[in-house]
Amino acid sequence: MTVIAVSGIPGSGKTTTALALARAIGWPLVMKDAIKESLGESLGITGDDLAASQRLGYAAVKAMFATATTIPNVILECAFHPGKAESDLLALGRAIV
């Protein structure tokens, strides 16, 4: 069981790379921004409210990791923050690429 973590700064091509990789190897892809956008639309939260957007981003990351626990081999796409994401990734108990 393996997690492939695709990370980088905004605009660096994370989503493009993760989508291409998922298609090439046939693994499920879980993207933090897709979760955040869906939740934001459902809850009526816009980017105008920075504090709410940040809370929503945190919730989306937690949802992404919770979803990953149910998928044996998965690609996670997110701007993982050094010093914060490592513990969540390691908690999955899988090889991380």
Side-chain angles (χ1 to χ4, degrees):
M1 297 190 308
T2 303
V3 173
I4 298 175
V6 179
S7 186
I9 62 173
S12 63
K14 293 180 301 296
T15 300
T16 301
T17 300
L19 287 167
L21 181 60
R23 279 192 296 271
I25 66 175
W27 284 18
L29 169 61
V30 182
M31 300 184 300
K32 189 271 295 190
D33 283 346
I35 296 169
K36 181 180 178 184
E37 290 166 12
S38 179
L39 290 174
E41 287 176 16
S42 297
L43 298 171
I45 297 172
T46 68
D48 298 336
D49 184 343
L50 180 60
S53 179
Q54 289 172 334
R55 287 191 308 273
L56 190 60
Y58 179 77
V61 169
K62 291 299 183 182
M64 179 185 67
F65 280 112
T67 301
T69 65
T70 68
I71 306 169
N73 294 306
V74 64
I75 301 167
L76 301 179
E77 185 267 331
C78 176
F80 294 104
H81 294 281
K84 294 182 181 179
E86 294 88 352
S87 61
D88 288 328
L89 287 165
L90 292 172
L92 294 172
R94 319 235 185 108
I96 301 167
V97 177

